[in-house]
Amino acid sequence: MTLRLVVADPHAAGELAADEIEAYVTQEEFSGRDAVLGFATGSTPLPVYAALARRELSLSYVRGFALDEYVGLPQGHPQSYASVILCEAVEPLGLDPARVLVPNGAAHDPAAAGAEFERAIEDAGGIDVQLLGIGSNGHLAFNEPGSSFDSLTRVVELTAETRLDNSRYFDSLDDVPTHAITQGLGTIMRARSLVLLAFGERKAAALAAALEGPVSEDMPASIVQRHPRVLVLADEAAASLLRRETVERGRRSSLRPS
Ligand code: F6R
């Protein structure tokens, strides 16, 4: 793993993630093909979208894929990830909504919708930079503990912990969907660059286990240790349980161009 770890406040982390994305998508090689971004939902990536929006980049050639979507919310539901990504990323960044795909959680056959989404990523040539948050239980996208490292986009059941974490966006816990379509851990690992963000004390234990613990399907985010290009951006609170050597090693590698 080329782990670059930077401890910064969320605003600064947003700028650094935007630097990574900008450097990637403005490379010469993209003059001939589309750059493909992987979007995350939740509160974590918001500073990144805000930083990118401030740069007013011309991103009309960029394609995008979301990490996941709830199953069963009607199309246009304000908490559907399609609505959230449209409002937090697509519109502020000036992306073409038709070029940003979110798994269809309202599909009659969600399993088929998952497989179709996986094919669409492949057809686009794969994801260049994938943004990731981490769940307090170590999930990546909606790959809950126990998910196979080889998993592809599919329907999953959400854990009680994840539903409780996400109930802050709904009127009540009962309104939080029980299932989602999520990119698999195998899908995420195919992205050429990963940017994992973690903010707040609630993420500290999961981040330490993911970066320093054994690589295990019990801790889905630990799979990032096997990726060749990972940038981890954490604030002080989320980094508070990391060993000093991890922070130092990450800081040194973040000074080297990757
Ligand atoms: C969102 C996603 C989830 C979140 C994670 C953290 O697309 O895939 O894995 O990244 O649950 O959520 P927040 O950022 O709200 O703390």
Side-chain angles (χ1 to χ4, degrees):
M1 157 172 78
T2 328
L3 167 71
R4 292 177 296 143
L5 167 70
V6 182
V7 177
D9 64 62
H11 177 85
E15 290 293 336
L16 290 165
D19 288 347
E20 172 78 1
I21 292 170
E22 185 175 349
Y24 218 107
V25 302
T26 55
Q27 286 177 91
E28 188 78 354
E29 63 168 297
F30 293 118
S31 52
R33 73 167 177 97
D34 298 335
V36 185
L37 290 184
F39 293 99
T41 327
S43 54
T44 306
L46 298 180
V48 185
Y49 301 143
L52 282 170
R54 280 193 295 274
R55 296 179 189 203
E56 299 183 359
L57 304 170
S58 162
L59 298 174
S60 55
Y61 61 97
V62 165
R63 302 188 55 169
F65 290 92
L67 274 176
D68 41 21
E69 175 61 291
Y70 292 118
V71 167
L73 293 183
Q75 238 146 25
H77 187 287
Q79 292 313 326
S80 72
Y81 284 180
S83 299
V84 173
I85 285 183
L86 184 67
C87 164
E88 303 289 356
V90 174
E91 287 173 349
L93 271 58
L95 299 170
D96 175 355
R99 292 163 73 82
V100 178
L101 294 189
V102 180
N104 183 1
H108 177 65
D109 182 349
E116 194 183 311
F117 189 79
E118 184 76 28
R119 272 195 305 277
I121 295 177
E122 271 172 41
D123 291 348
I127 292 173
D128 291 302
V129 185
Q130 176 65 61
L131 289 174
L132 296 167
I134 182 171
S136 56
N137 64 356
H139 72 209
L140 271 195
F142 279 135
N143 295 284
E144 301 285 25
S147 298
S148 162
F149 279 168
D150 296 327
S151 52
L152 300 178
T153 307
R154 68 203 185 287
V155 175
V156 292
E157 183 170 3
L158 302 179
T159 60
E161 190 175 358
T162 294
R163 292 185 66 239
L164 186 63
D165 277 351
N166 290 6
S167 63
R168 66 193 193 277
Y169 295 115
F170 291 83
D171 290 339
S172 76
L173 182 57
D174 286 344
D175 293 336
V176 184
T178 55
H179 290 76
I181 301 177
T182 183
Q183 282 189 33
L185 294 169
T187 319
I188 291 168
M189 287 294 281
R190 289 179 189 162
R192 287 176 267 277
S193 169
L194 301 181
V195 178
L196 173 64
L197 301 124
F199 305 130
E201 202 187 340
R202 215 164 48 86
K203 304 297 176 69
L207 189 69
L211 301 186
E212 296 174 339
V215 178
S216 155
E217 290 177 349
D218 293 336
M219 174 46 62
S222 65
I223 198 172
V224 303
Q225 293 184 39
R226 293 192 178 156
H227 195 283
R229 182 177 166 126
V230 189
L231 170 62
V232 179
L233 296 165
D235 67 0
E236 294 281 350
S240 60
L241 296 179
L242 291 170
R243 288 197 290 266
R244 190 138 40 107
E245 309 92 81
T246 308
V247 176
E248 272 305 303
R249 203 181 61 227
R251 197 185 62 82
R252 281 196 304 275
S253 61
S254 76
L255 300 176
R256 287 197 301 272
S258 56

